[in-house]
Amino acid sequence: MAETAQEPEINDEDLVARTQNGDPRAFDDLVRKYSSRLYGLVYNMTSNHEDTNDLLQDIFAKAYRSIKGFRGKSSFYTWLHTIATNMTINFLKKRSRSYKMSLDDIDNGVQHDPEFIELTSGPDARREVNLKELQVRLNEAMMKLSNEHRAVVTMFDIQGMPHAEIGKILGISEGTVRSRLFYAHRQLQNYLQEFLTT
Amino acid sequence: MNQDVHKLLRLKRYEMPSSDYFERFMDEFHRRQRAELISRPTLSILFERFMNAFPEFHVPRMAYATVAAAAVALSALILFNQQESGASSSGSFALNSPTVTTLPSAQGDVRFPVSLRSDLPPHYVLETRPVSYESPYSF
């Protein structure tokens, strides 16, 4: 279920060392490597494309400015995700409640996803699912969670991170990650009842 | 049931911007970096470089409260000293300086010392006879 935390083809340590020695192209490689993944993290916490774009720029700018202070006590992946999560939560605390959702298009690949097929055409499918409606309802349900619970759900359910990694990023124990997930799932069940099979 | 929620949420990973978004993102990142170099105040850059050079440095938890308390105490001490020195200087003036009377004048107030000796009680001359506030001993 959980994806591996680091992709082996590019060595983060090497790229970080080169950036620390003044090679900005090495940092570009890190941006290329992590921008898509961090986009998913920030977008699923904000439900707004424009906010995500601005935040992602700020996150990489902050990481670039701070990379000299990175001593490798954790992996670069964890360090970068910690910056991203903290900045996003701080942003959400300041954002007004009257924000508008600005959702990205759903990739066509979803039509071939076994989980989506099971959800929409299985024998116990409750109803025919309108993809756009499902997207809106999922985002509304996510936004009803607290920022901290949404962060855990995003990292675990959407991005497939293991509990231990989430704990490191948020600076909490694995037990706290599990209890937040349990509570968040229970809330989401209520919001998404009509899309869930019995 | 939790597994169903999990499956439903997994579908959110298909929400992504168009493929050329991430290509434009890098250009935008470089543009913002250049703009930031021009627009950021020098102090802010210096502070950040300091913090990056000493990543272990953190402002102690009670530092701001301690500094504020020290500033208040120092201000109180200075004010108290000023008041005390003001009171003592005005007291010595009253004791040591000669008595002065003020007479109205068309060109302003003119002060005439009546007695220059501070060890004597004040006295005046009225119609060539000295006058004193001391009670007479002759009955």
Side-chain angles (χ1 to χ4, degrees):
Chain A
M1 183 197 303
E3 291 170 8
T4 51
Q6 295 204 351
E7 294 166 26
E9 63 271 16
I10 306 172
N11 185 344
D12 284 357
E13 286 172 17
D14 181 44
L15 291 172
V16 169
R18 279 169 50 201
T19 308
Q20 287 175 329
N21 289 327
D23 178 5
R25 282 172 304 176
F27 191 76
D28 288 353
D29 287 341
L30 288 167
V31 174
R32 275 189 208 97
K33 183 177 175 182
Y34 286 111
S35 53
S36 167
R37 192 170 178 82
L38 283 187
Y39 182 93
L41 173 68
V42 178
Y43 170 78
N44 285 302
M45 287 178 70
T46 59
S47 288
N48 186 291
H49 171 75
E50 287 75 27
D51 289 345
T52 304
N53 182 55
D54 286 344
L55 261 170
L56 205 56
Q57 292 284 350
D58 291 346
I59 287 162
F60 280 116
K62 165 106 178 150
Y64 185 66
R65 291 197 300 264
S66 312
I67 203 162
K68 287 230 168 183
F70 174 67
R71 298 280 181 265
K73 286 178 184 169
S74 64
S75 68
F76 176 75
Y77 172 93
T78 304
W79 181 75
L80 187 61
H81 276 71
T82 304
I83 292 176
T85 313
N86 288 341
M87 286 181 73
T88 307
I89 289 178
N90 285 341
F91 168 80
L92 290 169
K93 283 178 185 166
K94 290 176 197 159
R95 185 169 76 172
S96 72
R97 288 181 178 276
S98 59
Y99 84 99
K100 287 212 167 68
M101 277 201 288
S102 154
L103 303 179
D104 286 322
D105 291 336
I106 302 176
D107 190 285
N108 284 334
V110 72
Q111 310 278 2
H112 309 292
D113 187 290
E115 286 167 358
F116 180 73
I117 293 168
E118 183 192 335
L119 185 79
T120 53
S121 56
D124 51 357
R126 274 198 168 183
R127 46 173 288 200
E128 194 176 322
V129 176
N130 176 307
L131 204 54
K132 196 72 190 168
E133 184 192 346
L134 174 63
Q135 183 191 21
V136 171
R137 289 298 301 276
L138 274 172
N139 278 282
E140 282 174 352
M142 284 286 282
M143 294 315 289
K144 283 183 175 157
L145 299 175
S146 74
N147 296 331
E148 287 73 15
H149 285 93
R150 199 180 317 122
V152 173
V153 167
T154 299
M155 284 189 257
F156 181 79
D157 291 300
I158 303 172
Q159 302 211 289
M161 287 186 201
H163 295 105
E165 192 69 43
I166 299 170
K168 279 186 207 163
I169 289 168
L170 295 176
I172 55 177
S173 69
E174 270 191 65
T176 308
V177 173
R178 286 176 195 278
S179 71
R180 282 187 189 175
L181 271 174
F182 178 78
Y183 177 80
H185 283 169
R186 212 171 52 182
Q187 277 194 294
L188 290 169
Q189 264 175 30
N190 294 331
Y191 299 137
L192 299 168
Q193 199 65 49
E194 61 187 300
F195 294 102
L196 295 169
T197 53
T198 47
Chain B
M1 192 65 121
N2 270 357
Q3 207 54 31
D4 287 342
V5 174
H6 178 72
K7 282 179 188 172
L8 209 51
L9 290 169
R10 287 283 288 166
L11 297 176
K12 271 182 69 58
R13 69 187 187 278
Y14 288 102
E15 284 179 47
M16 287 299 268
S18 58
S19 55
D20 59 342
Y21 167 77
F22 291 104
E23 290 163 26
R24 290 196 312 268
F25 181 83
M26 185 63 84
D27 296 335
E28 174 74 5
F29 180 62
H30 290 153
R31 191 190 63 74
R32 287 197 191 202
Q33 272 188 319
R34 288 193 297 271
E36 191 185 46
L37 279 176
I38 297 168
S39 62
R40 279 183 76 196
T42 315
L43 266 181
S44 154
I45 294 170
L46 285 175
F47 179 73
E48 192 162 288
R49 283 187 182 172
F50 172 79
M51 294 305 281
N52 289 338
F54 303 98
E56 305 300 324
F57 176 78
H58 293 290
V59 179
R61 190 178 284 180
M62 299 300 286
Y64 293 117
T66 311
V67 168
V72 169
L74 196 65
S75 312
L77 195 69
I78 290 168
L79 280 174
F80 180 73
N81 279 349
Q82 276 182 346
Q83 279 179 348
E84 215 170 45
S85 64
S88 63
S89 65
S90 65
S92 64
F93 176 79
L95 286 173
N96 298 331
S97 60
T99 309
V100 171
T101 55
T102 304
L103 296 175
S105 162
Q107 294 181 347
D109 291 345
V110 181
R111 290 160 182 255
F112 298 98
V114 174
S115 169
L116 292 175
R117 288 189 60 185
S118 59
D119 53 339
L120 293 174
H123 60 276
Y124 306 94
V125 176
L126 183 65
E127 292 177 353
T128 70
R129 291 187 64 189
V131 175
S132 173
Y133 290 120
E134 288 174 1
S135 54
Y137 293 102
S138 56
F139 296 97

